[in-house]
């Protein structure tokens, strides 16, 4: 690992500025999901346990300037509850009040500073703002992989002016992603599904160069089928992208990457749960029908292929998984992958927006090697892009 981690940090008596992701979903002032809070607890506990002062930095929402509705104050209360230890909330993230609060804190105590995005300097990565943040820390710990695709003051700038370390959650994410694509056990298979090709062009372009097998599912598979001259009826299909789909297939061929497309499908006439459907070969879809999931033969082919690969990277469902029975392919393949992970035969990393919901729905989120909740950062990593927040942590 080319990153310094908490193992390398001298924490006792030090002021640790710790960038975390506390951008939790909130409705009417109430936090509806605490996953992000839970993920940063190990890092906070470890620094606190080793006698460091934990000074937490985080953003919340997309405020333009100070805005009470985007205050982190309610999150401080939830965090204290989850930690089982008091969390001092400070009304700003730079300035006199912060300096006083940090200096008054005893070693091992935890402070949460107000939303870094209340200052325009955060997203601008303004050097003066970086300096103002750095004034309250002896070292910087980044535990927010999900914000690492942004070069902001609190995610990137600080790593250049203070000794910088990956927190435990960041470390786990980087280790999992490295095992998934950067340095994987081969053969490697990728599954890419979801709605549209247009949102995943870069991702597909990168994957065909890196993986041995690419299984394409979801609405985007329809565009690839159309590119092969198959009539997909009323299915979601980006007809203007068939030439692009052909190019991706050609790139894959040149790189020796096998592309798997569905050979059969669950087709229906209405986009709703249990609409009445039939199993058809992809060549047999009627003009008024939609492909809403991969069919049993396609699923069996993917499951069989899983037996022959050592690594799986997955983004996007095989079908409209929110509407049963069109969750069948996604759930069946997810369970097969989880079984092989449990047996020690597969490393499986999944992530990105809807994929987390799909894996939760399949009940396998805890059984895969790693499920990334990072959304944009996970997708940029799958696209092969360098993430500024990660690059800044690399040892120089
Ligand atoms: P994405 O955010 O690109 O991963 O897309 C996820 C969405 O794609 C989910 O909401 C699925 O319902 C949708 N989806 C997957 N397969 C299909 C399909 N065959 N037709 C329509 N929508 C689909």
């Amino acid at each position: 690992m080319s990153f310094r981690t908490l193992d390398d940090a001298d924490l006792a008596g030090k002021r640790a500025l710790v960038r975390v992701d506390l951008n939790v979903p909130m409705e009417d002032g109430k936090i509806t999901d605490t996953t992000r809070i839970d993920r940063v607890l190990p890092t906070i506990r470890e620094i606190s346990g080793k006698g460091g002062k934990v000074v937490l930095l985080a953003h919340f929402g997309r405020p333009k300037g100070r805005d009470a509705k985007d205050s982190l104050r309610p999150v401080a209360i939830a965090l204290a509850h989850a930690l089982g230890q008091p969390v001092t909330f400070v009304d700003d993230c730079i300035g006199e009040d912060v300096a006083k609060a940090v200096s008054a804190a005893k070693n091992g105590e935890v402070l949460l500073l107000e939303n870094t995005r209340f200052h325009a300097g955060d997203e601008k990565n303004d050097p003066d703002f970086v300096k103002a943040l750095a004034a309250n820390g002896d070292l910087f710990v980044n535990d927010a992989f999900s914000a690492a695709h942004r070069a902001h003051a609190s995610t990137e700038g600080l790593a250049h002016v203070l000794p910088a370390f990956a927190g435990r959650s960041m470390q786990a994410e980087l280790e999992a992603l490295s095992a998934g694509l950067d340095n994987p056990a081969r053969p490697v298979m990728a599954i890419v599904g979801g709605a549209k090709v247009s949102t995943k062009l870069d991702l597909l372009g990168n994957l065909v160069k890196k993986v041995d097998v690419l299984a394409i599912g979801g609405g985007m598979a329809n565009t690839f089928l159309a590119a092969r001259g198959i009539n997909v009826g009323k299915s979601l299909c980006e007809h203007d992208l068939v030439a692009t789909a052909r190019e991706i297939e050609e790139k894959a061929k040149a790189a020796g990457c096998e592309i798997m497309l569905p050979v059969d499908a669950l087709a229906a006439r209405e986009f709703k749960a249990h609409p009445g459907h039939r199993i058809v070969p992809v060549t047999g879809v009627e003009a008024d029908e939609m492909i809403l999931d991969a069919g049993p033969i396609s699923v069996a082919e993917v499951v069989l292929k899983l037996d022959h690969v050592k690594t799986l990277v997955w983004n996007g469902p095989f079908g409209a998984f929110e509407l049963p029975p069109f969750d069948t392919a996604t759930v069946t393949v997810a369970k097969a992958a989880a079984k092989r992970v449990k047996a020690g035969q597969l490393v499986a990393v999944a992530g990105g927006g809807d994929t987390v919901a799909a894996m939760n729905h399949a009940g396998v989120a805890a059984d895969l090697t790693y499920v990334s909740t990072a959304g944009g950062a996970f997708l940029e990593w799958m696209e092969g892009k360098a993430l500024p927040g990660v690059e800044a942590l690399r040892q120089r």
Side-chain angles (χ1 to χ4, degrees):
M1 167 77 42
S2 55
F3 304 92
R4 281 190 290 187
T5 69
L6 292 184
D7 294 328
D8 308 302
D10 177 14
L11 295 160
K14 297 281 165 50
R15 300 167 300 163
L17 280 174
V18 187
R19 178 59 157 97
V20 284
D21 179 359
L22 294 176
N23 199 19
V24 288
M26 193 139 20
E27 267 167 41
D28 304 325
K30 289 220 167 66
I31 295 165
T32 55
D33 184 306
T34 60
T35 308
R36 286 183 162 158
I37 293 178
D38 299 337
R39 287 224 167 174
V40 295
L41 298 179
T43 292
I44 298 174
R45 289 201 175 114
E46 184 169 342
I47 299 172
S48 167
K50 288 180 174 170
K53 293 184 186 183
V54 186
V55 185
L56 299 170
L57 295 171
H59 77 278
F60 191 77
R62 297 176 173 274
K64 293 282 164 250
R66 192 171 267 275
D67 186 340
K69 83 171 187 347
D70 289 321
S71 172
L72 278 167
R73 191 182 287 275
V75 179
I77 297 162
L79 177 63
H81 183 74
L83 262 180
Q85 155 175 14
V87 172
T88 304
F89 180 73
V90 188
D91 205 22
D92 206 343
C93 62
I94 53 170
E96 244 340 85
D97 288 353
V98 180
K100 272 190 204 150
V102 173
S103 133
K106 295 195 185 72
N107 292 344
E109 287 189 358
V110 181
L111 301 93
L112 173 61
L113 309 187
E114 184 56 289
N115 195 343
T116 51
R117 291 197 185 160
F118 281 2
H119 294 268
D122 189 25
E123 288 177 84
K124 287 187 182 144
N125 207 354
D126 173 2
D128 289 336
F129 184 68
V130 172
K131 220 186 262 172
L133 287 174
N136 292 306
D138 302 307
L139 55 97
F140 174 58
V141 177
N142 192 345
D143 212 25
F145 175 83
S146 55
H149 56 316
R150 310 272 186 237
H152 294 169
S154 61
T155 62
E156 201 264 354
L158 277 173
H160 295 292
V161 298
L162 291 175
F165 305 87
R168 294 302 182 199
S169 165
M170 170 73 90
Q171 183 186 346
E173 186 102 25
L174 293 177
E175 283 169 357
L177 298 195
S178 170
L181 269 192
D182 302 334
N183 216 351
R186 289 196 177 267
V188 189
M189 176 170 177
I191 295 175
V192 180
K196 292 183 172 180
V197 178
S198 52
T199 57
K200 295 189 184 171
L201 285 177
D202 288 349
L203 189 147
L204 292 167
N206 181 46
L207 288 179
V208 295
K209 288 184 286 178
K210 292 201 174 149
V211 305
D212 304 296
V213 187
L214 171 62
I216 299 176
M220 72 167 62
N222 302 333
T223 305
F224 282 84
L225 292 173
R228 290 185 180 184
I230 293 170
N231 193 336
V232 294
K234 275 204 175 144
S235 303
L236 176 62
C237 177
E238 292 169 288
H239 290 283
D240 53 330
L241 285 180
V242 292
T244 310
R246 270 186 215 120
E247 277 167 32
I248 292 170
E249 287 225 48
E250 272 157 30
K251 263 193 208 162
K253 210 176 192 179
C257 165
E258 175 190 350
I259 296 236
M260 294 178 80
L261 282 175
V263 292
D264 61 348
L266 305 194
R269 292 192 165 78
E270 290 172 283
F271 191 76
K272 65 175 194 185
H274 304 293
H277 70 278
R278 59 186 196 114
I279 298 169
V280 285
V282 289
T283 47
V285 178
E286 298 284 344
D288 62 346
E289 282 182 320
M290 288 173 282
I291 295 175
L292 291 178
D293 199 13
I297 298 173
S298 316
V299 171
E301 283 184 357
V302 171
V303 169
L304 193 65
K305 188 60 84 174
L306 275 179
D307 284 346
H308 297 281
V309 300
K310 294 214 170 91
T311 305
L312 171 68
V313 182
W314 186 346
N315 170 260
F318 275 103
F321 76 98
E322 302 91 338
L323 308 172
F326 308 114
D327 55 346
T328 309
T330 304
V331 169
T332 309
V333 174
K335 285 192 168 154
K339 201 168 153 200
R340 285 188 63 77
V341 172
K342 272 191 182 165
Q345 294 159 324
L346 181 73
V347 169
V349 180
D354 273 325
T355 310
V356 181
M359 296 304 132
N360 282 330
H361 175 74
V364 303
D367 298 330
L368 299 184
T369 313
Y370 196 77
V371 176
S372 173
T373 55
F378 182 85
L379 289 176
E380 288 200 20
W381 165 77
M382 270 186 105
E383 288 165 3
K385 293 186 179 147
L387 309 180
V390 171
E391 292 308 309
L393 287 180
R394 280 189 202 282
Q395 280 184 344
R396 287 174 291 269

